[in-house]
Amino acid sequence: MYKIAVCDDEVNDCAKITCIVKKRADVLDIQSVSCFTYTTADGLLKELSIGFDVIFLDIDMRPLDGCRTAIEIRKLDPSVIIVFC
């Protein structure tokens, strides 16, 4: 199972990215994809123990921006793929 996290402070952007990921998984015939959405970096960081395969991360967030969040993610999970949006 692939575990995908989407972290963006704009709810609509989270929904768009999640929709794209799910559609692409269907096209590629990937059966097991779970998407988790977060509107704050703190929420994402608290749940890193889930063990995400890919994290879509907004760069411009408040109070903790995407670059600082990525630094914290790397401390806890150096192998996860981070895609900046």
Side-chain angles (χ1 to χ4, degrees), residues 10-28:
E10 296 290 330
V11 175
N12 289 337
D13 291 343
C14 275
K16 287 177 188 176
I17 294 169
T18 300
C19 183
I20 291 168
V21 167
K22 288 183 177 182
K23 283 182 181 178
R24 197 68 194 146
D26 287 343
V27 168
L28 296 172

Side-chain angles (χ1 to χ4, degrees), residues 20-83:
I20 291 168
V21 167
K22 288 183 177 182
K23 283 182 181 178
R24 197 68 194 146
D26 287 343
V27 168
L28 296 172
D29 200 28
I30 299 171
Q31 301 296 322
S32 54
V33 173
S34 294
C35 289
F36 302 80
T37 59
Y38 302 92
T39 55
T40 66
D42 288 336
L44 170 64
L45 291 172
K46 287 178 184 173
E47 295 194 1
L48 273 182
S49 62
I50 290 174
F52 299 112
D53 298 295
V54 179
I55 298 173
F56 289 88
L57 186 58
D58 183 18
I59 294 173
D60 186 25
M61 295 187 293
R62 303 280 184 264
L64 188 60
D65 68 22
C67 294
R68 290 183 182 155
T69 303
I71 291 168
E72 295 303 314
I73 291 169
R74 284 285 173 244
K75 289 178 185 176
L76 300 169
D77 188 348
S79 65
V80 67
I81 297 168
I82 299 173
V83 179

